[in-house]
Amino acid sequence: MATVKEMKTVTASSQEFHPFDQLSSEEMIMVSQITRQAQPSMDIVFNTITLKEPAKDKMLSFLGWDTSKPRVTKIEREALVIALERPSMKCYEGVVSLDAEKLKSWTYVPDVQPILTMDDMLEVEQMILKDERVIAECRELGITDMSSVFNDPWAIARHVNYPGRGRRLMQALMYMRTCEDDNQYVHPLDFVPIIDVGLMKVIDIEHIKPKNSKFTRPTIPMQQHNFLPEFVGEENYRKDVKPIIVQQPQGVSFKVTGNEIDWQKWNMRISMNYREGLVIHNVSYQDGADKRPLFYRLSLSEMVVPYADRDPIHARKHAFDVGEYGLGLCTNSLALGCDCLGSIYYFDATFNDHNGQPYTVPNAICLHEEDHGILFKHTDYRNGRAHTVRGRRLVISHIVTVANYDYGLYYYFYQDGTFEYEVKATGELNTHVLAEDENPEGYGTLVAPQINAQYHQHMFTMRIDPMIDGNNNTVGQVDVSRVPYPTGHPMNMMGNAFTAKTTMFRDTHEAQAIPCYETSRCWKVFNENNIHPVTKGPVAYKVTSDCQVPLYAQDDSVVGQRAGFAKKTIWVTPYDENQIFAGGFYCNQSSGEDTLEKWAQEKKSVSNTDVVLWVTFGMTHLPRVEEAPIMNCEVLTGVRMAPCNFFMRNPAIDVPPTNKKINQSVDAKSTPAKDGCCSTKL
């Protein structure tokens, strides 16, 4: 089987950073200084400063995967600057060479709005509370203390009264608290300020009017529904929860060198950017003497959370948490023993503020191993001998908070060469106040008196840049069906026959797919240049997803136009370095003109070439009373990729068995047990 022999990575001379490493604090300061010096007449707002990832063709050579030409040993280190000019709020893109210490390009980008940052949201939140019209609205509702008023600034999607992207707009969802640290989402207010961020001014106030009520305006529900310890009360906690202690007394099994990780034959690098958050680079698996490439880049490209209520104001609630807010910018600082359990290795993340100054989120990425139950087992019923091997997985994760919602985002790597991406959705429900006699009209659930938790969906699109045994891959679709012969036919005498058919996607029009229950549909990423010596077919990785739902919004709705990527489960496109984000680079206030759906409309070859696989998964959330005041995690196994006729045998056959002596398991009944379940005869 043709593979690439392991090669050590070359570090570019005069550089202490790997080309995939995100910018350091010092580099961000340098970038902002270089930019200001090159544009002295501009009042610059630094929206984002991030690494400009090197060209893929150069990196494949640098990493040793492309041996068709002399190896690249030096990669220029560049930064991408997205900036706004005050007071016009015009958007500019800049490229800064950190090696040459110069601004290489500075380009005005018309009719776009870049991502909304934490600086934007905090400034808007404070401004709203000082606005006279907002204060007047609160007084009309009986609120005189504005310190009890809170708001969540949201992207505005597209507003019919303010078309286009000439103005940088936001909307604010209003709430109040009855005391410090009270849960604001059970005290929603009925009006929505519209904000011009450039002017930093409230330009309109909209009211969500009752629909099936005798009242013209709802009252504020004042009953508390809280979950923090001081409200629950220590005396009310369960008393029968005993500690579970996760320890690795001999240390961890992984090795970290900078941002490079080695674990159980896996090798990869990680980075964290402002937008996608955690990104996995250059993933390979050691198969004997061969280091076999699997993925060039893995990331969550985009997500959208559309709400179901037909009211035009609620229809604007379809948050693109990647493209409008940035998963990196929303990343939590993780707590040992709470967010991550066991022997933990943390990575920090660095981002910039509007002044171009860096700030660090400590413990932004969590790396650890965890037991994953039985990897394989067999018992010989003849002699009773059982052989059990327990498996473990490497977990690389971060957690983000986007207003009311929290998402745990997990990359799992297994000992048998399998990769999974999982989302754990938690946090609080987005709520809307109803009048005392009003009902949700079939678009939500009353989770408390007057508190409407609206129906909504969560749709996630992963961008998978595969290099399954090489850079040229083909994606195929596998469908299982009965054979077309009735019972008693010579080709189906007993009526039990079924078979599987693989259809190779040869162009972008073919490479658009949705699930099919009737055919147990799945997909595979093939390397047609590597033929497995046993199966006589191309080596592959199988692609499945346990969380498939359709986008229920109409195709021509605003969210349908902007989030076309959510209309299909599978998309395959030829690699394009400018096509990273399924909702477009400038997603904020977009119309959907630069999205994955649009890119796929142009018929292009995706056959045995450098392709990108996009996988969409999600959930339809019909809230329950039990999800208030806080939601338990809803677990979505979004993408699973497993070797399929890739190795010569089970690649985990060499995982050693364990036993109670090694893992210190005990019998809870204190009853003597036999010597072990994992006989080795060694």
Side-chain angles (χ1 to χ4, degrees), residues 482-497:
R482 296 171 175 174
V483 297
Y485 308 107
T487 302
H489 189 281
M491 297 297 292
N492 192 19
M493 186 62 68
M494 305 307 296
N496 63 300

Side-chain angles (χ1 to χ4, degrees), residues 127-139 146 191 202 205:
M127 179 274 297
I128 284 173
L129 300 180
K130 300 173 184 177
D131 183 84
E132 289 300 327
R133 284 187 291 177
V134 172
I135 294 171
E137 290 287 343
C138 291
R139 284 176 180 159
M146 290 302 292
F191 65 95
V202 174
I205 291 181

Side-chain angles (χ1 to χ4, degrees), residues 1 13 48 85 110 172 179 242 251 346 352 428 431 439 477 490 496 517 519 589 620 624:
M1 189 179 304
S13 60
T48 54
E85 180 194 24
C179 62
K242 307 297 184 182
Y346 287 112
N352 68 281
E428 298 191 58
T431 56
N439 66 68
Q477 179 171 284
N496 63 300
Y517 168 81
T519 66
Q589 296 178 228
T620 300
R624 300 174 288 120

Side-chain angles (χ1 to χ4, degrees), residues 200-495:
M200 198 50 63
K201 177 182 177 181
V202 174
I203 59 174
D204 197 3
I205 291 181
E206 299 177 340
H207 295 85
I208 306 171
K209 298 178 181 179
K211 296 183 179 62
N212 48 26
S213 170
K214 65 183 179 182
F215 299 103
T216 59
R217 194 166 190 181
T219 56
I220 304 171
M222 299 301 290
Q223 184 178 355
Q224 289 187 346
H225 300 271
N226 288 297
F227 57 88
L228 292 173
E230 59 267 34
F231 295 101
V232 175
E234 185 177 353
E235 68 279 6
N236 295 315
Y237 280 125
R238 303 180 189 192
K239 303 299 189 290
D240 57 350
V241 180
K242 307 297 184 182
I244 294 177
I245 300 172
V246 179
Q247 295 180 335
Q248 291 182 272
Q250 297 180 18
V252 297
S253 303
F254 55 79
K255 178 184 176 183
V256 178
T257 306
N259 291 315
E260 183 179 11
I261 300 168
D262 284 286
W263 178 82
Q264 293 290 292
K265 303 184 180 181
W266 289 95
N267 176 266
M268 67 200 74
R269 301 193 70 90
I270 67 170
S271 69
M272 163 94 54
N273 66 53
Y274 73 93
R275 185 157 175 165
E276 300 154 290
L278 178 58
V279 179
I280 313 292
H281 306 268
N282 194 33
V283 182
S284 63
Y285 190 91
Q286 192 72 37
D287 183 15
D290 298 322
K291 186 173 185 177
R292 301 178 71 177
L294 297 176
F295 309 108
Y296 180 75
R297 194 179 191 274
L298 299 167
S299 71
L300 182 60
S301 173
E302 191 53 89
M303 59 177 289
V304 65
V305 187
Y307 282 74
D309 195 291
R310 61 187 174 85
D311 187 286
I313 295 176
H314 293 312
R316 293 201 305 264
K317 291 195 299 189
H318 51 268
F320 290 73
D321 290 346
V322 179
E324 291 176 336
Y325 308 104
L327 298 182
L329 299 180
C330 297
T331 288
N332 293 188
S333 181
L334 303 176
L336 185 63
C338 298
D339 300 306
C340 310
L341 189 64
S343 299
I344 309 300
Y345 190 102
Y346 287 112
F347 298 83
D348 298 341
T350 302
F351 308 108
N352 68 281
D353 64 18
H354 280 185
N355 294 318
Q357 295 301 300
Y359 67 90
T360 297
V361 178
N363 298 356
I365 300 171
C366 168
L367 170 67
H368 72 286
E369 299 173 278
E370 61 185 24
D371 180 270
H372 192 58
I374 294 175
L375 178 62
F376 57 79
K377 175 174 181 168
H378 180 63
T379 300
D380 188 332
Y381 71 88
R382 296 169 183 84
N383 59 21
R385 181 183 177 185
H387 181 60
T388 305
V389 172
R390 295 190 67 81
R392 64 179 65 184
R393 63 187 180 187
L394 184 73
V395 184
I396 313 175
S397 63
H398 69 127
I399 299 175
V400 304
T401 301
V402 190
N404 55 294
Y405 256 100
D406 298 74
Y407 299 98
L409 306 170
Y410 299 84
Y411 291 84
Y412 296 135
F413 297 89
Y414 294 85
Q415 290 165 300
D416 64 353
T418 296
F419 156 72
E420 280 183 349
Y421 186 77
E422 181 180 88
V423 175
K424 294 180 180 178
T426 179
E428 298 191 58
L429 292 163
N430 178 268
T431 56
H432 163 58
V433 62
L434 298 180
E436 292 180 37
D437 62 345
E438 192 179 0
N439 66 68
E441 292 190 317
Y443 298 109
T445 303
L446 277 172
V447 295
Q450 294 184 254
I451 305 300
N452 178 24
Q454 295 167 334
Y455 299 163
H456 58 281
Q457 294 187 281
H458 300 257
M459 308 295 284
F460 306 84
T461 296
M462 277 210 78
R463 181 182 182 275
I464 299 168
D465 189 346
M467 49 179 185
I468 304 300
D469 254 1
N471 199 42
N472 291 340
N473 292 158
T474 306
V475 177
Q477 179 171 284
V478 182
D479 290 289
V480 180
S481 63
R482 296 171 175 174
V483 297
Y485 308 107
T487 302
H489 189 281
M491 297 297 292
N492 192 19
M493 186 62 68
M494 305 307 296

